C-alpha cells in the first residue's frame, strides 16, 4: 500500500508539472506573433546558424503539436495518479 501512495504522490507532482507546462505552451502558441522572447530566440538562433530549426519549432503547427502532446502527457499523469490512489484504497 505504501508503494501505491508514493507512486500516487509522484504521479500527482508530475501531473501538476505537466499541467503547468501545457499552460505555458498554450500561452506561447497564442502569443507567438507578439512575443519578444520568441523574437530573441530566433535572433540568437540565426546568429549561430540554427535559424531554420528555431523557425520550425515556432511554426504554428509545431506549437499546436507541442500543446497536444503536453495535454496527452498531463492526462496520462492524472490517470497514473488515479490508478495508484484506487489501488491503495482497494489493497488497504
Amino acid at each position: 500500500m505504501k508503494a501505491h501512495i508514493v507512486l500516487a504522490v509522484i504521479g500527482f507532482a508530475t501531473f501538476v508539472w505537466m499541467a503547468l507546462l501545457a499552460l505555458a505552451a498554450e500561452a506561447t502558441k497564442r502569443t507567438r506573433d507578439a512575443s519578444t522572447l520568441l523574437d530573441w530566440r530566433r535572433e540568437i538562433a540565426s546568429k549561430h546558424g540554427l535559424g531554420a530549426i528555431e523557425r520550425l519549432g515556432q511554426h504554428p503547427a509545431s506549437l499546436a503539436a507541442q500543446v497536444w502532446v503536453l495535454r496527452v502527457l498531463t492526462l496520462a499523469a492524472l490517470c497514473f495518479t488515479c490508478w495508484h490512489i484506487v489501488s491503495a484504497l482497494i489493497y488497504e
Side-chain angles (χ1 to χ4, degrees), residues 18 22 25 62-76:
M18 296 305 292
S62 177
L63 291 173
Q66 291 174 15
V67 168
W68 278 103
V69 166
L70 285 169
R71 285 177 182 171
V72 168
L73 290 175
T74 302
L75 180 62

Side-chain angles (χ1 to χ4, degrees), residues 33-50:
D33 296 328
S35 176
T36 57
L37 174 65
L38 294 179
D39 290 338
W40 175 76
R41 284 179 53 186
R42 282 191 297 267
E43 181 182 325
I44 296 296
S46 294
K47 286 181 183 177
H48 294 287
L50 300 171

Side-chain angles (χ1 to χ4, degrees), residues 14-29:
T14 304
F15 165 71
V16 170
W17 180 252
M18 296 305 292
L20 290 173
L21 286 177
L23 288 172
E26 182 71 32
T28 301
K29 178 184 161 201

